[in-house]
Structure formats: structure tokens, C-alpha cells
């Protein structure tokens, strides 16, 4: 037996025992090597401690096998004992070494040791407090962590991240230390430390899912303080870390985070917005309490659908579809009928091929009442970016809600009414798109009641823009029964005459354009009302540049009416338009909208004016009386003169205007030519003279009628030769010339003789044009005197005229001399001998006798019989 025992004792060891013996030997050898080096860590000199740490680094690297056939597991097992017993405590103490180089080497060796140890979790009870001491001391709260070196703080945070990854769930007992460290490092001045801390926080949340929720709220504050960091990479890291922290932590923090996430949607860096989109999309699919936060998370994700970067918009669309499909699967029982009997998209859906899935539409519809108030508030925010995002989001929500928006229509329309008055074009553009969606999904019977009520209460440019946009989106078949009602409301004075503001006119015109383009032939029954609106827009816009757009709209309306252009449209409606204007003309002033409308009709109706003379002339006669508003009379005279210049194409298009000449002359022109003091009265006389000249220049009055006009107006025209206005004097000379040409031999001699003295006075006029016009009139006046026995009646007057004209024959102005010479030549046939004597008497007095010699030569050449 003793021999047997001895034999067994002497038996060779098996493989397991041999390996264990080898590991023990390696561990013992490593322990001896480390024991020789570790005392150097206690050296007084910095250089000594550094050399000891460098030696330790070489020893550890030498202890790790690099041969291809080496067993890393065996080496790690041999390393575990010396690492935990000897090296770890000493290295942790070195983290507080006064020398920065020593602390850096200690951190590196700790990183190396954790990676090579077989049980790195065993180091956590010592490592975590040591890291907390270096990164989260009492001074850290005031921004001064115990570790002053930025690179070392980054290395320590990386060490903590490594410990979290290697330790896994074993980190749960040390969660307090880890969170305390992260709360400080997330606010570190060094951006790289913050980024690493964000990654570490996310790893910590994933490593301790069963316990992390108890500490997660502590990290939200520091994360939110870093979310607006100046480095975009830090902002992206914070957003991703926040997503993971809340995913594995407490859902209560969602409310604290959402305002910051919403602000990051305005970030200038696309990567930041993309991070928000991805995190929110992940929450909508995976957050435990997501159903409680749908109404808060959905707006953030839907806002990204309108991002300027296509990649972000596509990512958001993909995430949103996944969210909708997942919710659809989770609520399949509730949606069974809608899934089995799916309704097709509305006929006028803006993009039926891209219609959101049922789950997405239902999510929006069920949460719309909670989302809408916030959007209505933000769309009028003082920050432009907020208003733009809110307006874009509203359009996306309406596209999803479809006909369910009817129950929220009042709130939506009031919001659009306010938002369409925004100064920013992007806000207005999104709101008009929303209004078009209202027209697509809501019945006209419903939205017209609200919109018309809003316009009746307070007409505004934004209200008209909303109406035009809603009509643009509404299908023709739905609008057809309501076209007349819409046109009637637009034509009401308090709407179509609501403002002279250009924007108001543009949007009112847009309403008519939209109605005509959408309803086309259905507008035939309300063409008159639409014409009234167009005339009013043209009248009130005046010089604001809308005339071309109004003309285009009139042409479109004419095409709908199947007539040739706007002139035929005026011919069709000018009668009713004039009748309505005639009902109020007694109360007009220069500020009356009806006056402006009348002016537009008169100047634009063209040949149609000849058909409404029974309405036109009485209005002019009443409004041009001296007792009426002077400024209004000036405006009407200006319009009348423009019309009379082309009388054959306007008031006399039917050849009937001559029947009204007596009224125009006696009741309109005569009262206005009477002299009254003041500049306004003088301007009115100028306007009246211009109208008379336009009338005489037209082909309307016959010679007989002109003679009758001359009998009536010649005294007043002679008076206007003394007006201060050069234009009045010039036109008066031309009118007298025209009268004289028409009335040769048919003028009362006593009245006739009174004309030439007034014309002579004009030869002293300051205006060169007036002087020449006066000489031309004198030629005509001389031609009116018969060259027979009856001329003796005028001899004394002719002699006086000869003498005066000879004075002007020596005028400094050569053109006037030539004109006067022509007058004398024209009058020489009457009394040539008399003119010779008068000329010879003054020829020596002239500075230049040349023209006198020409006159005398002309007189000698006359036939002796004369």
C-alpha cells in the first residue's frame, strides 16, 4: 500500500494541472517583476516615479504574448492576480501624482490593465471612486475639477467608458459614482471631454438597463446645458446621448428635453437637425411611454419633413412611415374596418400617390386637438424662424388630417387669417398652402360661412388671401352652387372698397382671378359683380401698378363670357355700372370711391361710352358745377378731355354725342370758364379750356355747332387770354384761331373788332409759343375781313394793327419777326397803300431794316388792281 501511494504521488501531472501550474508560475514571475518595480512609484523625485512607471509599462507589454501561437487567455489569467493585488492600487494612487506626466502614464497603464485583465469588473469598486475623486471633486461644481489637464481628463473619461463597456451590469452598484462623474464631465470646458462623456452616458444606460432609470434624471440637466454648445459635434453627441438616456431611463424627463430639441430644429448645422430627427423617430417607435408623448413628439418629427436638406426630409419621412405602420399593427383591432374598407384619397388630393399611410393619418387626427393650440400660438411668435416652422408644420398636419380638420376649422381659419398678414414670405407661402388644403378637404358650405363672416366683420388683405387660397384648392364641382354668392359678397362695398392699400387690392384681385380660373364658365351668371370688383380694384390701385393684372383678369373673364376682350365686356356691363354710379353722384367728393370707379369706366370703356350717354352726361353736368368739390371737378375735366381727344372711339362711337353738345357747352364749360379767385379756380379754367380744345379738335361738332359754341364761349375765351397759366393762354389762342377759321364772314362786326386787341397783347407774352400762336390767330382774323367795299368799316382798326405789328417787326426774336412779317403780308391785301406809308415811316427806326424792305418789296409786287 505504501508503495502504491508512493507510486501515485510520483505520477506525472495531467494537462489541466500542468496549465494551472504554468499560469501560477507566470503569475509568480510577473509578481516578482512588478514587486521589484513598484517601490519606484514611492520615489520622492518626479523623474524616479516616471521611470518606474515607464518600466512598469515595458514589463506589462513584455508579459503579454505577441507570438502567433501564444494563448491570450492564459496570459490574461496569469495577469489577473498581480494586476488586482499589486498594480491596481498603486496606479490608482498615481492618478493623484503631482506630476502631470506620471498621472498620464498611470491612466495609460490602467487602461492597459483593464483591457488585459480577465475579470475587469473586479476593479470597479476601486476604480470608480478614484475616477470620481479626480473628475468630480468639490471644486468641479464651480468649473475647477481636481484634474487640471484637459488631455488627462479626456483620458480618464475614456477610462470610465472602457470600464462601463467591460463591466456591464456589474457597474450597477457603482452607478452613483459613474453618474456623479458624468454630471461634471458633461459640463467640462474641453469639447472632446463632453463628447466622450456623452458616449459614456449612453453606454452606461445600455449597460445597466434595470437600474439606470433611478439615476437618469440626474444627467438630463447637464445634457441640456451642453445641447447649445458652440461645437456642432458636441451638440450632436448630446442629442444622441439624451435619446439613449431617456430610452433606458425615466420618461418623466421627456418634458424637460422637448423644448431644447425643438430649438435644435432651427440649428444651422444639418447634422444636428438630423440627430434630432433620428432620436425623436426612435422614441416614437421604442420609448416605453411613447403613447403618452405622441402629441409632443409628432410635431418634432413632422417638422423635419419640411427640412431644407433633402436627406433629412427623406429620413424623417421614412421614420414617420415606420412609426405609422408600427402603430397600425399595434392597434389593428381598432382599425379593422378602416383597413378592410380603405377609402380612396380625395379627388383633388395634392399628391394621392404619396398619401400618408393610415397609421400616420390616424395618429395626427387623434392628436390634432392637442397639437393645434401650440401651433396657433407659435405661428404668431415674435421669432421669424418659429413662425416659419409652425406654418410649415400646420400644412403637414392638415395634409394628414384630411376631412377631420372640419371640426377644428374655426381655429384653423382664424390662425391662417393672422398668419397671412405676416411680413415673412415663407410664413405666408406655407399658410396659403394650408388654406388650399382646407379647400381640398372641407365642403364650401362650411368654410364659406366662416370666411364670409370674417370678411364682413373686418375686411383685410390676409382674409382675402385666405379666401383666394381656399378657393384655389376647392374643386369646381363643389364650388359651382356657391359662385354667385361668392361674387356677390366680393362686390359688396365694404369688401371691394375696403381699402386703398396695394396689398388689399392684390388679394381682392387674386380672389377674382382664382374664381374665374377654377369655375370658368360657371362665372357667367355673376360676370357683372366680378366686373364691379375689377373696376373697383383698378380705381383704388391707381398708380400702384395693378392695371396690367386687372387687364389680364378682364381678358380671362371675357374669354369665360365668350366675348372678344375687355372692350366687349365693358359694352356688356357698362349700362348697369353707370346706373349704379348715377344713384350716388350727388354726394361725390374727390375722395369718393364711386368717383374713382366712374373715372375708370369713362377712361377704359372705349366705344361702350357712346351707348350710355343718357347716364354719362347728366353725371358730368351735376358733378362739374361750380358748387361741387373743386378737386373732383379737376379730376373729371382731366378724364373728359382724354375722352374727347378720341371722341369717335369713345363718346361718339354711336354718332349721338352731337345731341349733347349744347349741354356740354352751356351747362359744363361756361360755368367753369367764369373767373373766380384762387389757384384752384384757375386750374379748373385751364382744365375747361383743355376740354373745349379737345372737343373742337375732334370731328364731332359740325361747323354750325362750332359757330354756336363760338357765340357762347368767345367772351370767356378772350378773358382766359389773361390767365397766369401759359398753357391756358396758349390753348385759348388756338381756340380763337379755330373759331375764326370756322366762322369767317359770320361774326358780328362789333364783337369781331374786340378780338384783335386781345391777340395783340399776347405778342408781349413771356412765352415764345404763345406769341407765335397769337400771330397765327391774327393771320386768321385778317383773313376773316372781306376784301370788298365793306372793309372800309375796319380801316381805322387795320391801321392801328399795322402800326402795332410794325413795332414787333423789329422784335429781338427772329422767329417772332418772321411770324409778324407773315401777318403783315396776309393783311397787306386790305389796304396796301396805307401799309406802305406806315412802313416807310418807321423803316429808319428799326435796328435792321431787312424785314421792312422785304415787306415793301412784297407790297410793290402786288397787282395794281389791289
Amino acid at each position: 500500500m505504501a508503495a502504491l501511494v508512493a507510486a501515485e504521488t510520483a505520477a506525472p501531472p495531467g494537462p489541466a494541472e500542468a496549465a494551472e501550474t504554468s499560469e501560477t508560475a507566470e503569475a509568480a514571475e510577473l509578481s516578482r517583476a512588478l514587486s521589484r518595480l513598484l517601490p519606484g512609484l514611492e520615489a520622492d523625485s518626479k523623474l524616479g516615479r516616471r521611470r518606474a512607471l515607464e518600466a512598469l509599462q515595458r514589463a506589462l507589454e513584455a508579459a503579454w504574448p505577441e507570438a502567433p501561437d501564444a494563448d491570450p487567455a492564459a496570459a490574461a489569467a496569469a495577469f489577473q492576480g498581480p494586476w488586482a493585488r499589486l498594480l491596481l492600487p498603486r496606479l490608482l494612487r498615481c492618478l493623484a501624482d503631482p506630476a502631470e506626466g506620471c498621472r498620464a502614464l498611470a491612466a495609460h497603464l490602467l487602461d492597459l490593465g483593464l483591457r488585459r485583465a480577465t475579470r475587469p469588473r473586479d476593479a470597479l469598486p476601486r476604480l470608480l471612486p478614484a475616477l470620481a475623486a479626480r473628475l468630480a471633486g468639490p471644486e468641479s461644481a464651480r468649473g475647477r475639477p481636481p484634474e487640471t489637464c484637459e488631455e488627462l481628463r479626456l483620458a480618464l473619461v475614456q477610462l470610465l467608458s472602457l470600464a462601463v463597456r467591460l463591466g456591464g451590469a456589474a457597474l450597477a452598484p457603482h452607478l452613483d459614482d459613474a453618474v456623479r462623474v458624468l454630471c461634471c464631465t458633461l459640463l467640462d470646458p474641453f469639447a472632446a471631454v463632453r463628447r466622450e462623456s456623452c458616449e459614456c452616458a449612453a453606454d452606461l444606460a445600455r449597460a445597466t438597463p434595470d437600474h439606470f432609470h433611478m439615476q437618469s434624471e440626474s444627467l438630463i440637466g447637464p445634457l441640456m446645458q451642453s445641447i447649445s454648445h458652440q461645437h456642432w459635434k458636441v451638440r450632436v453627441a448630446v442629442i444622441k446621448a439624451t435619446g439613449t438616456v431617456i430610452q433606458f431611463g425615466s420618461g418623466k424627463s421627456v418634458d424637460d428635453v422637448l423644448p431644447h430639441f425643438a430649438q435644435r430644429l432651427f440649428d444651422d448645422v444639418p447634422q444636428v437637425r438630423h440627430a434630432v430627427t433620428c432620436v425623436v423617430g426612435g422614441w416614437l417607435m421604442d420609448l416605453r411611454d411613447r403613447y403618452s408623448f405622441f402629441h409632443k413628439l409628432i410635431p418634432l418629427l413632422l417638422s423635419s419633413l419640411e427640412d431644407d436638406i433633402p436627406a433629412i426630409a427623406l429620413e424623417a419621412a421614412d421614420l414617420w412611415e415606420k412609426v405609422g405602420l408600427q402603430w397600425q399593427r399595434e392597434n389593428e383591432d381598432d382599425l379593422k374596418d378602416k383597413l378592410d374598407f380603405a377609402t380612396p384619397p380625395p379627388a383633388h388630393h395634392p399628391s394621392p400617390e404619396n398619401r400618408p399611410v393610415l397609421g400616420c393619418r390616424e395618429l395626427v387626427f387623434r392628436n390634432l386637438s392637442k397639437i393645434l393650440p401650440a401651433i396657433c400660438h407659435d405661428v404668431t411668435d415674435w421669432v421669424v424662424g418659429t413662425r416659419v416652422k409652425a406654418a410649415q408644420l400646420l400644412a403637414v398636419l392638415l395634409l394628414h388630417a384630411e376631412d377631420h380638420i372640419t371640426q377644428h376649422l374655426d381655429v384653423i381659419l382664424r390662425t391662417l387669417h393672422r398668419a397671412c398678414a405676416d411680413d415673412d414670405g415663407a410664413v405666408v407661402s406655407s399658410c396659403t398652402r394650408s388654406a388650399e388644403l382646407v379647400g381640398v378637404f372641407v365642403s364650401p358650405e362650411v368654410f364659406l360661412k366662416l370666411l364670409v363672416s370674417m370678411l364682413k366683420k373686418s375686411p383685410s388683405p390676409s382674409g382675402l388671401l385666405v379666401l383666394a387660397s381656399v378657393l384655389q384648392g376647392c374643386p369646381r364641382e363643389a364650388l359651382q352652387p356657391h359662385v354667385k354668392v361668392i361674387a356677390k359678397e366680393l362686390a359688396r362695398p365694404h369688401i371691394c372698397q375696403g381699402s386703398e392699400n396695394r396689398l388689399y387690392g392684390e388679394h381682392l384681385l387674386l380672389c377674382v382671378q382664382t374664381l374665374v380660373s377654377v369655375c370658368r364658365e360657371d362665372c357667367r351668371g355673376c360676370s357683372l359683380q366680378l366686373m364691379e370688383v375689377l373696376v373697383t380694384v383698378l380705381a383704388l390701385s391707381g398708380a400702384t401698378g395693378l392695371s396690367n393684372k386687372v387687364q389680364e383678369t378682364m381678358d380671362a373673364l371675357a374669354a369665360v363670357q365668350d366675348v372678344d376682350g375687355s372692350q366687349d365686356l365693358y359694352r356688356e356691363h357698362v349700362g348697369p355700372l353707370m346706373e349704379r354710379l348715377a344713384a350716388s353722384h350727388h354726394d361725390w367728393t374727390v375722395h369718393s370711391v364711386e368717383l374713382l370707379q366712374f373715372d375708370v369706366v369713362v377712361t377704359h370703356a372705349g366705344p361702350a361710352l357712346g351707348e350710355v350717354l343718357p347716364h354719362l352726361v347728366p353725371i358730368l353736368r351735376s358733378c362739374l358745377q361750380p358748387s361741387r368739390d373743386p378737386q373732383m371737378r379737376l379730376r373729371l375735366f382731366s378724364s373728359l378731355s382724354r375722352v374727347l381727344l378720341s371722341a369717335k372711339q369713345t363718346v361718339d362711337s354711336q354718332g349721338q354725342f352731337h345731341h349733347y353738345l349744347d349741354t356740354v357747352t352751356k351747362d359744363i364749360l361756361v360755368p367753369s370758364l367764369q373767373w373766380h379767385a384762387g389757384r384752384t379756380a384757375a386750374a379748373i379754367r385751364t382744365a375747361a379750356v383743355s376740354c373745349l380744345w379737345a372737343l373742337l379738335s375732334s370731328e364731332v361738332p359740325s361747323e354750325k355747332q362750332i359757330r354756336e359754341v363760338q357765340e357762347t364761349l368767345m367772351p370767356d375765351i378772350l378773358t382766359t387770354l389773361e390767365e397766369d397759366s401759359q398753357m391756358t393762354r396758349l390753348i385759348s389762342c388756338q381756340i380763337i384761331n379755330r373759331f375764326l377759321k370756322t366762322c369767317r364772314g359770320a361774326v358780328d362786326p362789333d364783337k369781331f373788332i374786340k378780338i384783335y386787341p386781345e391777340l395783340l397783347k399776347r405778342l408781349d407774352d413771356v412765352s415764345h409759343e404763345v406769341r407765335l400762336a397769337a400771330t397765327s390767330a391774327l393771320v386768321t382774323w385778317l383773313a376773316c375781313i372781306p376784301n370788298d367795299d365793306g372793309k372800309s368799316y375796319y380801316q381805322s382798326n387795320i391801321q392801328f394793327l399795322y402800326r402795332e405789328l410794325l413795332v414787333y417787326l423789329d422784335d429781338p426774336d427772329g422767329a417772332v419777326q418772321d411770324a409778324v412779317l407773315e401777318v403783315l403780308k396776309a393783311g397787306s391785301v386790305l389796304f396796301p397803300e396805307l401799309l406802305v406809308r406806315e412802313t416807310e415811316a418807321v423803316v429808319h427806326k428799326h435796328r435792321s431794316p431787312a424785314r421792312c424792305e422785304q415787306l415793301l418789296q412784297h407790297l410793290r409786287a402786288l397787282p395794281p388792281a389791289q
Side-chain angles (χ1 to χ4, degrees):
M1 180 64 70
L4 180 60
V5 171
E8 290 178 354
T9 303
E17 289 82 353
E20 182 177 354
T21 303
S22 174
E23 291 175 6
T24 305
E26 290 180 7
E29 183 180 352
L30 180 60
S31 296
R32 287 193 295 271
L34 295 177
S35 298
R36 289 194 298 270
L37 300 174
L38 288 177
L41 298 180
E42 308 297 333
D44 294 334
S45 69
K46 174 176 67 176
L47 183 59
R49 296 194 301 274
R50 183 182 182 91
R51 288 176 176 173
L53 288 168
E54 291 173 349
L56 284 172
Q57 181 179 355
R58 290 192 296 271
L60 291 179
E61 292 173 351
W64 197 258
E66 296 182 0
D69 56 346
D71 185 4
F79 176 74
Q80 176 64 38
W83 153 257
R85 186 177 66 259
L86 300 173
L87 194 56
L88 178 62
R90 303 292 182 88
L91 291 177
L92 290 177
R93 285 200 299 271
C94 288
L95 289 178
D97 194 281
E100 183 179 310
C102 296
R103 299 199 302 275
L105 281 170
H108 174 68
L109 291 174
L110 285 170
D111 180 274
L112 191 64
L114 281 177
R115 293 178 187 277
R116 295 184 175 181
T118 54
R119 297 187 303 277
R121 64 179 64 89
D122 292 349
L124 296 179
R126 296 180 179 179
L127 178 63
L128 267 295
L131 292 177
R134 295 303 300 165
L135 295 173
E139 297 295 318
S140 298
R142 291 189 287 272
R144 294 194 298 271
E147 180 52 67
T148 58
C149 177
E150 291 180 342
E151 288 76 9
L152 270 176
R153 293 201 301 275
L154 175 60
L156 294 178
V157 174
Q158 290 172 339
L159 186 62
L160 175 61
S161 297
L162 178 64
V164 169
R165 290 194 299 272
L166 296 176
L171 205 68
H174 313 287
L175 201 56
D176 287 348
D177 286 333
V179 170
R180 186 156 57 89
V181 169
L182 291 175
C183 286
C184 294
T185 56
L186 283 170
L187 300 176
D188 196 275
F190 189 28
V193 173
R194 294 200 189 200
R195 291 203 306 272
E196 186 63 34
S197 300
C198 290
E199 295 178 9
C200 182
D203 291 340
L204 183 63
R206 286 187 285 264
T208 57
D210 297 332
H211 303 84
F212 184 73
H213 65 279
M214 295 183 290
Q215 294 286 343
S216 64
E217 293 182 37
S218 303
L219 294 175
I220 298 300
L223 285 169
M224 292 304 99
Q225 291 182 58
S226 295
I227 201 170
S228 58
H229 193 273
Q230 60 183 353
H231 291 186
W232 68 266
K233 290 184 178 180
V234 174
R235 301 198 294 274
V236 170
V238 168
I239 291 168
K240 292 179 178 179
T242 303
T244 306
V245 166
I246 290 182
Q247 180 70 47
F248 291 93
S250 172
K252 299 177 184 178
S253 303
V254 173
D255 290 331
D256 300 327
V257 168
L258 288 181
H260 298 277
F261 271 33
Q263 194 63 36
R264 287 306 101 206
L265 288 177
F266 299 97
D267 202 291
D268 295 332
V269 180
Q271 289 88 337
V272 177
R273 302 197 301 273
H274 182 265
V276 174
T277 302
C278 293
V279 168
V280 173
W283 283 349
L284 283 169
M285 288 188 288
D286 301 325
L287 195 65
R288 285 191 294 270
D289 300 330
R290 60 184 179 278
Y291 277 56
S292 303
F293 299 106
F294 271 153
H295 65 286
K296 297 179 180 180
L297 296 175
I298 288 174
L300 296 183
L301 184 58
L302 294 186
S303 294
S304 295
L305 293 176
E306 297 293 326
D307 197 274
D308 296 335
I309 304 299
I312 297 177
L314 289 174
E315 179 72 18
D318 183 59
L319 287 171
W320 175 234
E321 184 175 3
K322 290 178 180 178
V323 170
L325 291 173
Q326 177 179 306
W327 185 87
Q328 189 173 304
R329 290 192 298 271
E330 293 170 353
N331 298 270
E332 192 170 357
D333 294 339
D334 293 344
L335 303 176
K336 182 172 176 51
D337 291 342
K338 293 183 179 180
L339 289 171
D340 294 342
F341 307 99
T343 58
H348 287 75
H349 195 286
S351 55
E353 68 283 354
N354 296 322
R355 188 188 189 193
V357 298
L358 177 62
C360 295
R361 301 199 307 273
E362 283 292 319
L363 273 174
V364 169
F365 161 59
R366 298 189 181 197
N367 292 278
L368 188 60
S369 59
K370 300 176 182 178
I371 299 173
L372 205 53
I375 294 181
C376 296
H377 176 269
D378 287 349
V379 85
T380 56
D381 193 83
W382 68 276
V383 179
V384 175
T386 303
R387 299 201 302 271
V388 171
K389 282 287 185 185
Q392 291 174 342
L393 179 57
L394 179 59
V396 174
L397 290 174
L398 297 185
L399 184 63
H400 282 75
E402 296 187 351
D403 56 345
H404 295 296
I405 64 178
T406 304
Q407 58 187 285
H408 307 286
L409 190 59
D410 186 30
V411 175
I412 292 171
L413 289 179
R414 281 191 281 109
T415 300
L416 293 176
H417 187 277
R418 294 196 304 271
C420 282
D422 201 284
D423 295 332
D424 190 273
V427 176
V428 176
S429 176
S430 296
C431 288
T432 54
R433 187 152 56 95
S434 297
E436 289 179 13
L437 293 174
V438 170
V440 171
F441 298 123
V442 181
S443 167
E445 294 182 2
V446 179
F447 68 67
L448 282 177
K449 289 180 181 178
L450 297 172
L451 287 174
V452 171
S453 174
M454 289 165 56
L455 287 174
K456 285 181 177 179
K457 186 175 180 181
S458 69
S460 65
S462 59
L464 292 171
L465 180 58
V466 172
L467 175 60
S469 302
V470 172
L471 295 178
Q472 183 66 49
C474 193
R476 177 182 177 183
E477 299 76 16
L479 270 183
Q480 184 177 6
H482 308 280
V483 174
K484 292 184 179 179
V485 174
I486 297 171
K488 182 180 178 182
E489 292 298 331
L490 290 176
R492 290 187 183 277
H494 73 282
I495 293 180
C496 71
Q497 302 175 16
S499 172
E500 295 185 19
N501 179 276
R502 175 189 170 88
L503 193 61
Y504 189 94
E506 283 184 354
H507 294 168
L508 182 59
L509 177 60
L510 184 60
C511 289
V512 178
Q513 289 175 331
T514 304
L515 197 61
V516 173
S517 64
V518 172
C519 298
R520 298 191 290 277
E521 288 78 8
D522 298 333
C523 294
R524 290 180 177 177
C526 57
S527 176
L528 175 61
Q529 288 78 14
L530 296 179
M531 190 68 180
E532 285 185 49
V533 177
L534 293 175
V535 168
T536 305
V537 171
L538 194 57
L540 293 177
S541 64
T544 57
L546 290 180
S547 56
N548 291 337
K549 293 182 180 179
V550 173
Q551 186 61 47
E552 292 173 3
T553 309
M554 283 189 177
D555 292 340
L557 184 58
V560 166
Q561 289 290 101
D562 199 18
V563 296
D564 296 331
S566 59
Q567 292 297 313
D568 288 343
L569 199 61
Y570 272 109
R571 178 176 287 110
E572 187 172 332
H573 298 304
V574 70
L577 289 173
M578 279 295 184
E579 288 179 9
R580 297 190 183 188
L581 292 172
S584 62
H585 73 273
H586 295 290
D587 302 321
W588 289 359
T589 67
V590 72
H591 303 293
S592 299
V593 176
E594 292 80 4
L595 171 65
L596 303 178
Q597 292 173 322
F598 178 78
D599 184 55
V600 167
V601 174
V602 167
T603 54
H604 289 76
L609 278 183
E611 302 176 7
V612 290
L613 293 178
H615 297 295
L616 176 65
V617 175
I619 293 176
L620 290 172
R621 179 179 56 194
S622 172
C623 293
L624 290 172
Q625 294 304 305
S627 59
R628 301 299 295 274
D629 181 10
Q631 297 297 328
M632 178 185 70
R633 295 169 64 200
L634 279 174
R635 188 181 188 101
L636 287 176
F637 268 127
S638 176
S639 302
L640 180 58
S641 63
R642 290 199 300 272
V643 169
L644 290 176
L645 284 173
S646 54
K648 285 296 183 182
Q649 290 77 41
T650 54
V651 289
D652 199 42
S653 62
Q654 306 299 314
Q656 300 298 314
F657 189 66
H658 63 276
H659 295 304
Y660 298 89
L661 280 179
D662 191 56
T663 301
V664 172
T665 303
K666 295 180 179 179
D667 297 340
I668 295 178
L669 295 179
V670 170
S672 298
L673 289 172
Q674 301 298 318
W675 189 89
H676 296 280
R679 293 182 179 179
T680 303
I684 290 174
R685 291 194 295 275
T686 301
V689 168
S690 300
C691 279
L692 177 58
W693 176 242
L695 178 61
L696 295 176
S697 300
S698 68
E699 300 176 2
V700 174
S702 63
E703 290 193 1
K704 179 182 177 182
Q705 289 175 320
I706 292 178
R707 286 195 293 271
E708 292 173 356
V709 171
Q710 183 264 338
E711 286 291 332
T712 304
L713 295 180
M714 181 61 85
D716 295 311
I717 296 300
L718 291 176
T719 303
T720 59
L721 286 172
E722 301 290 340
E723 289 286 344
D724 293 336
S725 169
Q726 172 190 333
M727 180 183 294
T728 307
R729 301 194 303 273
L730 177 61
I731 296 175
S732 298
C733 290
Q734 294 170 339
I735 290 173
I736 292 173
N737 196 358
R738 182 74 170 88
F739 280 159
L740 292 173
K741 288 179 180 179
T742 307
C743 306
R744 290 180 179 179
V747 185
D748 182 359
D750 294 334
K751 296 180 179 179
F752 180 72
I753 290 174
K754 295 179 180 179
I755 296 175
Y756 84 90
E758 300 300 328
L759 294 174
L760 272 176
K761 294 178 184 178
R762 291 305 99 210
L763 294 181
D764 289 323
D765 202 281
V766 296
S767 169
H768 179 75
E769 292 81 2
V770 174
R771 300 177 74 189
L772 295 180
T775 59
S776 178
L778 283 170
V779 171
T780 308
W781 184 85
L782 287 168
C784 292
I785 300 175
N787 190 14
D788 54 22
D789 294 340
K791 67 181 181 181
S792 59
Y793 178 79
Y794 301 99
Q795 182 172 354
S796 61
N797 293 285
I798 297 298
Q799 183 177 7
F800 176 76
L801 180 59
Y802 285 164
R803 289 175 180 174
E804 293 297 319
L805 290 174
L806 286 170
V807 173
Y808 292 104
L809 196 60
D810 195 34
D811 193 270
D813 191 326
V816 173
Q817 291 178 11
D818 292 337
V820 171
L821 179 60
E822 293 303 319
V823 177
L824 288 170
K825 288 180 179 180
S828 64
V829 298
L830 297 175
F831 303 101
E833 296 84 359
L834 179 60
L835 181 55
V836 169
R837 291 196 302 269
E838 293 294 337
T839 303
E840 291 175 344
V842 299
V843 65
H844 65 281
K845 298 179 181 180
H846 283 204
R847 287 170 294 184
S848 172
R851 285 177 175 77
C852 288
E853 294 295 340
Q854 292 178 25
L855 178 60
L856 289 172
Q857 185 178 357
H858 172 77
L859 290 170
R860 295 188 189 104
L862 290 175
Q866 296 183 349

